[in-house]
Amino acid sequence: MEKVDVRGLSCPMPVLKTKKVMDSGAKEILVVGTSQVSKENVTKLARSQGYEVIMKVDNKDNWEMELRK
């Protein structure tokens, strides 16, 4: 599983970093972040690319999501 750490980054960087890993052909990706806006935007990207989004941790300033294709 690929890991993408976007903690402390503001958009569009989390989306761009996640998209880069998706474009490399990864089927399972763990994305870790802190921004609620980034969480929403990465979720939208993942669903638009055909990934299932599974929230592992969903706190105000800390979240982890697993993306599976």
Side-chain angles (χ1 to χ4, degrees):
M1 178 179 299
E2 298 277 346
K3 182 175 180 180
V4 181
D5 186 345
V6 298
R7 290 177 287 194
L9 299 178
S10 54
C11 281
M13 286 309 297
V15 170
L16 295 175
K17 288 184 82 165
T18 304
K19 178 94 166 80
K20 183 176 179 181
V21 174
M22 289 176 172
D23 290 346
S24 74
K27 300 292 183 204
E28 292 186 346
I29 307 166
L30 178 66
V31 186
V32 181
T34 51
S35 161
Q36 290 299 304
V37 173
S38 296
K39 178 178 79 173
E40 293 166 13
N41 290 339
V42 170
T43 299
K44 287 178 193 172
L45 167 70
R47 290 188 174 135
S48 76
Q49 298 294 312
Y51 284 82
E52 176 187 7
V53 178
I54 301 141
M55 291 306 297
K56 298 292 212 178
V57 177
D58 192 3
N59 299 323
K60 183 175 182 277
D61 296 319
N62 181 37
W63 53 265
E64 290 184 20
M65 69 173 70
E66 195 173 307
L67 309 178
R68 290 189 191 154
K69 198 162 206 179

